[in-house]
Amino acid sequence: MLGRTANDLYWLSRYIERAENIARLLEVGYRIVLLPREGEGFHEEWRSTLESAGCMQGYMQRHGDLVSRKVIDYMLFDTSNPSSIAACLAGARRNGRAQRTSLTREMWQSLNSSCLEFQAIKPATITSNSLPELLDWVRARSALYRGAMLNTILRNDTFYFSQIGTFLERADSSARILDVKYYHLLPSSEMVGSGKDNFQWSVLLRSVSAHRSYRWVFKDQYRPLKIADFMILNRQMPRSLRACYDELTVALRDLAALYGARHDCHATVEATRDLLLEADIEAVFQSGLHEFVQDFIGRNNRLGNEISAAYHFID
């Protein structure tokens, strides 16, 4: 496969996954902001949303102050923000059109219709009442595309590069959400275990669609140690770091078998997965959850760079 083709398929999947993650973060921020609060809580919730998405610097340069309408527009419709849903869907459609012959009819139809329907939305028509419905639609369209891919595509290099893009993006998003909650949102030790702390942990689980599954596994109140274990080390939770690296390891191994060659990225993905296999959540907390997650994000970024170099992605 040409480097350009591999690059487009990889980024197509990353864009679709990112659009879904942004929708999840916006829904959580919106829910929290609606709650009664005092002082600066309103601003901190939107700040945590922007930081989780890696959009804080860009937003502040463009707007300068935290206002609900501006945050929502920036994350939904502002194409100057490369992580906005509008920019992600447009980028996914652009890459998909360039590699149209690599996609099945069902994949292209779901992708093309999603982008065109979103482009037809007028930002001024999105009110507080209609925002949740729009965010549900974004998640549903992401699920439709991924379902079309999983059910119609050959298990060849097209599939492997698509899987790599999806799970690299998902791992990055889950890690950033966890890091922002623990390190930024409640930095004061006296807040740990409070009602506000527990509520925010529950919101974190909702942001990765894990609220119900956490209760299924633990049948317990929200406990930071268990939630971190669930999001980092539980292989059954599809958005956990462990689950993402299980999928990445399989995709890269299959790619190596198909092409008959291993690269630095194969050693990196296996070393990171081994780290997650061997990690103990109590030891992680004792040494510092923030430090652990930051190290993971660095490893994940390095893996992305090594994959680009190994398979000659073209910027």
Side-chain angles (χ1 to χ4, degrees):
M1 180 177 284
L2 295 174
R4 170 62 72 184
T5 302
N7 177 81
D8 288 348
L9 293 169
Y10 167 84
W11 278 106
L12 164 55
S13 289
R14 287 201 75 157
Y15 285 139
I16 292 292
E17 182 69 22
R18 187 175 300 176
E20 179 180 351
N21 292 334
I22 293 298
R24 292 174 181 278
L25 287 170
L26 268 177
E27 181 183 15
V28 170
Y30 170 77
R31 283 187 179 188
I32 296 178
V33 165
L34 289 179
L35 294 173
R37 65 193 61 252
E38 298 179 358
E40 295 297 317
F42 163 85
H43 299 293
E44 289 306 310
E45 303 304 350
W46 281 130
R47 187 182 302 278
S48 73
T49 297
L50 290 165
E51 288 181 347
S52 294
C55 296
M56 188 65 193
Q57 183 177 356
Y59 174 86
M60 294 305 291
Q61 288 175 349
R62 189 165 179 81
H63 295 290
D65 57 348
L66 292 169
V67 178
S68 290
R69 182 77 246 180
K70 292 180 180 178
V71 172
I72 291 169
D73 283 347
Y74 186 73
M75 300 293 281
L76 282 176
F77 301 110
D78 192 339
T79 54
S80 71
N81 171 16
S83 293
S84 71
I85 291 174
C88 288
L89 291 178
R93 182 173 182 262
R94 182 173 59 251
N95 287 1
R97 184 166 53 188
Q99 304 303 331
R100 177 67 185 85
T101 57
S102 297
L103 307 183
T104 64
R105 179 173 60 87
E106 292 83 356
M107 291 168 67
W108 171 248
Q109 286 180 342
S110 68
L111 174 62
N112 190 48
S113 62
S114 297
C115 186
L116 294 177
E117 288 177 33
F118 191 84
Q119 288 176 348
I121 298 171
K122 293 182 173 21
T125 65
I126 302 303
T127 64
S128 294
N129 291 332
S130 63
L131 179 62
E133 183 179 355
L134 175 59
L135 299 177
D136 283 343
W137 178 87
V138 173
R139 292 198 303 272
R141 300 304 292 193
S142 173
L144 177 64
Y145 175 81
R146 182 145 179 82
M149 186 197 78
L150 291 174
N151 286 298
T152 64
I153 201 170
L154 290 173
R155 269 37 179 183
N156 56 15
D157 43 6
T158 298
F159 175 75
Y160 303 144
F161 283 116
S162 297
Q163 286 286 87
I164 291 166
T166 295
F167 289 103
L168 264 177
E169 186 68 31
R170 185 175 296 183
D172 181 77
S173 175
S174 293
R176 289 180 185 278
I177 290 170
L178 183 60
D179 190 46
V180 168
K181 165 63 186 79
Y182 187 78
Y183 188 70
H184 294 292
L185 204 54
L186 282 175
S188 301
S189 59
E190 62 268 18
M191 294 295 294
V192 175
S194 67
K196 181 179 179 181
D197 184 47
N198 289 333
F199 175 74
Q200 288 172 340
W201 279 112
S202 73
V203 166
L204 180 148
L205 288 170
R206 291 183 188 279
S207 72
V208 292
S209 293
H211 179 262
R212 188 181 296 259
S213 57
Y214 172 83
R215 291 289 198 179
W216 183 273
V217 171
F218 291 105
K219 300 178 178 62
D220 198 356
Q221 292 183 342
Y222 304 116
R223 302 186 185 279
L225 191 75
K226 290 184 177 180
I227 292 173
D229 179 76
F230 195 55
M231 288 190 63
I232 296 173
L233 305 179
N234 191 309
R235 67 181 181 84
Q236 295 179 315
M237 205 284 265
R239 292 184 175 272
S240 73
L241 306 188
R242 164 71 189 281
C244 290
Y245 266 74
D246 283 350
E247 297 286 353
L248 285 166
T249 301
V250 170
L252 281 165
R253 283 178 180 171
D254 287 346
L255 206 53
L258 180 66
Y259 288 166
R262 284 174 57 91
H263 304 280
D264 290 344
C265 57
H266 293 91
T268 297
V269 74
E270 290 166 2
T272 304
R273 182 172 179 268
D274 288 344
L275 173 70
L276 295 169
L277 281 170
E278 297 166 4
D280 175 78
I281 199 62
E282 292 187 2
V284 168
F285 263 69
Q286 289 174 1
S287 62
L289 179 60
H290 172 64
E291 289 74 17
F292 181 90
V293 173
Q294 284 296 306
D295 176 69
F296 175 84
I297 291 172
R299 288 170 175 266
N300 199 58
N301 290 339
R302 183 168 69 252
L303 177 61
N305 292 334
E306 290 174 352
I307 291 169
S308 296
Y311 296 105
H312 309 293
F313 287 2
I314 302 172
D315 294 331

